C-alpha cells in the first residue's frame, strides 16, 4: 500500500519529495547506478562498497542502496523483473537526481548463442519482443477472422546503448574474468514475459511460439540472449532529455551486462553454487567501470550538500 500522500497524479511525489514506486528523494540516489533484479543480489554487491550510507526497500519491493566506491558515490538498485519495473526505476530516479545519469544493468539471461551457463554477454543493442494479443483473440473467433494477424509476437527494432560506457564495461569484465572465451557480445532480446514471448515450450498454454526463436534469429542475426529489461533501459536512455528539454545529448547513458543462467541451445541451467562467485567478480568489474567512466564528481552532478554522501567523499 502507498505509505505517503502523493501530490501529483502525473508525477507523483510525496510532501518531502519521495517518488511513488522507488520511494527515494533528492540526495539518496547517486549519478552512477548499477541496477539488478534480485534484492539479495544487490545486498551481495553492496558488500563491495567502501561504505554503505543509505538503504531503503520501497512498498513496491524496489531496494536502493547508496554508498561510496572508489571514493565516489554509487547506488545499487534492485528493481525486480520486467519492462514496467525498469520504467518505474529509470523515470523516478531521473526525477530526483540532478545532472547526468550513468546506469549499468547487471542481470541474468538465457543464451541463444554459443555462450554457456556462467558466461557473460555484454549487450551491443537490445530489441523488444511483445505479445500480439490480437493474434489470439481473432484466432479464437468462429469462424476465424479473415484479418488474422500474421504473427503472435512483434519483434521491434534494436536500440543501442552508450558506446563508450559499453566498451568500458566490456573491458573491465574481460580483465576480471581473465578468459576471453567466457565473454560474448551481441544483441539482447527483451521479452514482455519469461515464458511465451521467450519461446519456451509447454503444454499448459497455447502460446503459438514454436517458430519464435527461429524468427528472432532471422530478424536479428546478432541476437545472443533473451531477458526482460534492457530494451526498456536503452529506450528510455535514448529519449532522455537534458535541462533544456533537448534529446541530444541524452541525460542518461546506459549499458548492460548479463550472466548466462539458462543455456537455451544446450538446455542447461547454471549451478547455483557457482552463481554467487560469478556475480561477485562481474559486479566488481561493473563498479570499476562506472567509476572509471566518470572518475570525479563534476559540477553538473548532483550536489553533495544535503545528500547522504555529504562529507563522505
Amino acid at each position: 500500500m502507498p505509505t505517503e500522500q502523493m501530490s501529483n497524479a502525473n508525477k507523483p511525489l510525496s510532501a518531502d519529495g519521495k517518488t511513488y514506486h522507488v520511494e527515494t528523494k533528492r540526495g539518496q540516489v547517486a549519478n552512477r547506478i548499477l541496477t539488478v533484479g534480485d534484492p539479495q543480489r544487490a545486498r551481495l554487491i553492496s558488500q563491495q562498497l567502501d561504505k554503505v550510507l543509505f538503504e531503503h526497500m520501497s512498498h513496491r519491493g524496489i531496494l536502493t542502496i547508496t554508498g561510496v566506491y572508489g571514493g565516489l558515490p554509487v547506488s545499487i538498485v534492485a528493481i525486480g523483473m520486467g519492462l514496467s519495473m525498469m520504467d518505474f526505476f529509470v523515470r523516478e530516479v531521473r526525477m530526483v537526481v540532478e545532472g547526468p545519469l550513468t546506469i549499468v544493468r547487471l542481470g541474468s539471461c538465457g543464451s541463444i548463442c554459443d555462450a554457456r551457463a556462467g558466461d557473460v554477454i555484454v549487450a551491443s543493442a537490445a530489441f523488444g519482443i511483445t505479445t500480439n494479443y490480437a493474434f489470439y483473440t481473432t484466432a479464437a473467433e468462429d469462424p476465424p477472422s479473415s484479418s488474422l494477424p500474421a504473427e503472435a509476437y512483434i519483434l521491434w527494432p534494436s536500440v543501442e546503448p552508450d558506446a563508450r560506457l559499453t566498451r568500458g564495461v566490456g573491458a573491465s569484465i574481460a580483465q576480471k574474468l581473465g578468459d576471453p572465451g567466457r565473454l560474448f557480445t551481441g544483441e539482447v532480446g527483451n521479452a514482455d514475459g519469461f515464458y511465451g514471448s521467450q519461446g519456451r515450450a509447454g503444454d499448459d498454454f497455447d502460446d503459438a511460439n514454436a517458430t519464435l526463436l527461429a524468427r528472432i534469429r532471422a530478424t536479428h542475426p546478432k541476437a545472443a540472449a533473451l531477458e526482460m529489461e534492457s530494451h526498456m533501459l536503452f529506450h528510455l536512455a535514448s529519449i532522455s532529455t537534458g535541462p533544456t528539454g533537448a534529446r541530444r545529448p541524452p541525460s542518461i547513458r546506459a549499458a548492460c551486462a548479463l550472466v548466462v543462467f539458462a543455456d537455451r541451445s544446450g538446455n542447461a541451467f547454471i549451478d547455483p553454487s557457482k552463481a554467487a562467485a560469478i556475480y561477485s567478480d562481474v559486479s566488481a568489474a561493473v563498479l570499476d567501470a562506472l567509476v572509471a567512466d566518470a572518475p570525479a564528481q563534476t559540477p553538473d552532478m548532483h550536489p553533495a550538500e544535503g545528500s547522504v554522501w555529504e562529507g563522505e567523499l
Side-chain angles (χ1 to χ4, degrees), residues 100-117:
L101 277 171
T102 305
I103 304 174
V104 179
R105 164 165 158 73
L106 174 56
S108 58
C109 70
S111 165
I112 57 171
C113 65
D114 292 335
R116 298 296 177 250

Side-chain angles (χ1 to χ4, degrees), residues 16-275:
D16 63 347
K18 290 190 185 75
T19 58
Y20 180 49
H21 302 93
V22 184
E23 288 182 358
T24 53
K25 61 183 180 179
R26 288 172 49 85
Q28 295 178 336
V29 183
N31 296 82
R32 303 168 190 82
I33 304 174
L34 189 163
T35 182
V36 298
D38 184 353
Q40 181 179 356
R41 194 176 300 161
R43 290 195 170 98
L44 177 69
I45 297 170
S46 72
Q47 295 174 15
Q48 302 186 57
L49 298 178
D50 303 333
K51 187 175 185 179
V52 173
L53 304 172
F54 171 81
E55 180 174 328
H56 177 70
M57 176 75 81
S58 79
H59 75 286
R60 293 292 187 180
I62 298 175
L63 174 65
T64 302
I65 301 172
T66 296
V68 178
Y69 185 84
L72 296 168
V74 173
S75 291
I76 302 164
V77 185
I79 66 170
M81 296 176 68
L83 300 168
S84 297
M85 299 301 282
M86 181 61 76
D87 184 70
F88 298 157
F89 153 66
V90 175
R91 291 180 186 273
E92 292 189 7
V93 297
R94 179 68 288 175
M95 290 180 194
V96 298
V97 179
E98 288 187 28
L101 277 171
T102 305
I103 304 174
V104 179
R105 164 165 158 73
L106 174 56
S108 58
C109 70
S111 165
I112 57 171
C113 65
D114 292 335
R116 298 296 177 250
D119 291 339
V120 180
I121 298 173
V122 174
S124 60
F127 58 92
I129 308 167
T130 54
T131 305
N132 180 5
Y133 297 100
F135 178 90
Y136 302 92
T137 56
T138 53
E141 293 176 2
D142 187 17
S145 172
S146 59
S147 60
L148 180 66
E151 302 289 352
Y153 300 91
I154 301 168
L155 305 182
W156 297 97
S158 297
V159 179
E160 294 183 354
D162 182 80
R164 189 185 82 197
L165 182 61
T166 298
R167 286 194 300 270
V169 168
S172 186
I173 293 173
Q175 183 178 23
K176 180 67 70 172
L177 292 178
D179 180 357
R182 292 182 57 200
L183 183 62
F184 294 77
T185 302
E187 295 193 7
V188 175
N190 182 183
D192 62 1
F194 183 81
Y195 292 98
S197 52
Q198 292 192 39
R200 285 184 163 89
D203 299 327
D204 296 324
F205 300 91
D206 182 10
D207 289 306
N209 65 359
T211 63
L212 179 57
L213 290 180
R215 280 188 60 223
I216 289 171
R217 291 186 174 105
T219 306
H220 294 277
K222 296 180 181 179
L226 301 176
E227 49 90 73
M228 299 171 62
E229 292 84 20
S230 58
H231 182 252
M232 178 61 78
L233 172 60
F234 294 174
H235 164 68
L236 291 174
S238 74
I239 65 169
S240 63
T241 58
T244 64
R247 284 176 55 181
R248 292 292 179 268
S251 67
I252 302 174
R253 298 166 55 238
C256 174
L258 302 166
V259 177
V260 177
F261 270 29
D263 173 4
R264 299 291 300 279
S265 301
N267 195 27
F269 216 84
I270 195 169
D271 181 344
S273 66
K274 298 178 180 178

